[in-house]
Amino acid sequence: MREIVLDTETTGLDPLRGDRLVEIGCVEMVNRMPTGQTYHVYLNPERDMPQEAFNVHGLSSEFLSDKPLFASVVEDFLAFIGEAPLVIHNAMFDIGFINAELDRVARAAIPRDRLVDTLTLARRKHPGVSNRLDDLCSRYSIDNSRRTKHGALLDAELLAEVYIDLIGARQSQLILSETRQSFSVGPADTPRRQREVPLAPRVTEADIAAHAAFVATLGGTPYWNEYTKEN
C-alpha cells in the first residue's frame, strides 16, 4: 500500500485571508515503510512574509522571491502524490492551503476521504496530553534535534517515523521479522527453533544392513561407501 506523508509551511494561518503556501515536503511510504522517494519544493507566495511566520520556519521574502509559483509545479506535485492516502499532522490546516492553491489554478480539490490525520490518531491514543510533532518525537524516542526551525520536508520525514509508531506498524514488523527468523531455512548462522528432546532415529539396524547389501551388488567402489560406517 502506497501512502504519502505530507507537510507544508505557509505565510500565516488562513488561506481565505490571503495567506499562501511557501514550502511543500512529501515522503513516500509503501507498506508503512519510507522508500527514500521524496518531493520537496519552495514556493514564491507573491506576497510579504509576516514576522510571526518567519520566526516559525525562517523563510524570508528575499529567499522565496526567485522560487517557482505553485502553478508551475502543480503537475509534478499531483503526479508525485497520485491517488495515495495523505498522512498529515493536523490535516485540515495543510489541505486547506493546498486546496486553495489548487483552486487558484483551476484544479480539483483533494477530498477529505484521502486524509489520514495523525493529530486525530495521536489524540485518541494519548488523550489529555499535548500531541504536537515534537511531543510525539519525544514520546517515541525519535531524534528531532535537527528541527531548530519548522521545515516541510524534515517535518514530513519525522512524521513518517512517528506514524509508524503511532499505528503500531514498527512493532508488527519486528514481530513478523522475529517469526520469520525463527522458522527460516537459511544460512547456517540463522537461528532456528530447536526441539527440547530430539526425535529418535527412524532408520533401524536392519535398514542399514539391507542398504549395505544393496550397495555391495553395485560393484566397483560405489560413492555410497564414503558414507557407510565401515569407512
Side-chain angles (χ1 to χ4, degrees):
M1 176 179 66
R2 184 175 188 263
E3 296 171 293
I4 300 297
V5 184
L6 182 149
D7 189 68
T8 66
E9 298 300 334
T10 70
T11 64
L13 302 177
D14 192 349
L16 300 181
R17 295 186 177 182
D19 286 317
R20 302 287 299 273
L21 284 180
V22 296
E23 185 183 9
I24 303 173
C26 300
V27 172
E28 181 187 61
M29 300 183 75
V30 174
N31 297 330
R32 305 288 166 76
M33 291 294 291
T35 66
Q37 298 299 312
T38 63
Y39 174 85
H40 179 238
V41 65
Y42 293 110
L43 299 167
N44 182 346
E46 301 179 282
R47 55 153 293 170
D48 66 303
M49 179 63 68
Q51 186 63 41
E52 295 83 358
F54 175 78
N55 291 341
V56 172
H57 50 59
L59 301 176
S60 66
S61 297
E62 291 76 17
F63 173 77
L64 297 169
S65 62
D66 62 348
K67 301 302 182 285
L69 303 180
F70 182 81
S72 66
V73 303
V74 62
E75 297 299 337
D76 289 341
F77 169 65
L78 292 177
F80 185 84
I81 66 172
E83 298 298 321
L86 302 179
V87 179
I88 308 173
H89 201 64
N90 193 14
M92 294 312 299
F93 175 86
D94 298 82
I95 209 65
F97 275 91
I98 289 172
N99 281 342
E101 297 290 350
L102 289 171
D103 183 65
R104 289 188 180 95
V105 295
R107 300 300 297 265
I110 295 172
R112 293 187 180 186
D113 61 10
R114 285 185 59 182
L115 307 180
V116 178
D117 190 348
T118 52
L119 180 58
T120 299
L121 295 177
R123 285 172 173 170
R124 290 173 182 169
K125 189 169 184 177
H126 307 290
V129 296
S130 177
N131 286 293
R132 299 173 305 167
L133 182 58
D134 281 333
D135 298 318
L136 292 169
C137 287
S138 177
R139 193 168 297 145
Y140 293 120
S141 301
I142 295 168
D143 182 10
N144 64 340
S145 58
R146 294 180 295 156
R147 196 180 189 238
T148 56
K149 293 281 188 182
H150 288 211
L153 183 58
L154 173 59
D155 287 1
E157 290 171 343
L158 292 173
L159 183 58
E161 293 296 314
V162 165
Y163 179 55
I164 293 170
D165 282 307
L166 193 60
I167 62 176
R170 195 185 309 277
Q171 183 177 3
S172 297
Q173 290 159 2
L174 178 61
I175 292 171
L176 180 59
S177 176
E178 289 175 344
T179 301
R180 285 177 174 171
Q181 187 180 48
S182 296
F183 293 92
S184 172
V185 181
D189 59 352
T190 301
R192 295 174 172 80
R193 199 171 72 169
Q194 301 290 332
R195 294 180 182 272
E196 294 183 6
V197 179
L199 291 175
R202 297 184 180 183
V203 180
T204 67
E205 290 297 326
D207 292 331
I208 295 173
H211 182 262
F214 168 74
V215 171
T217 67
L218 299 178
T221 56
Y223 190 70
W224 280 105
N225 287 341
E226 297 182 19
Y227 297 92
T228 61
K229 291 183 178 179
E230 292 75 14
N231 292 296

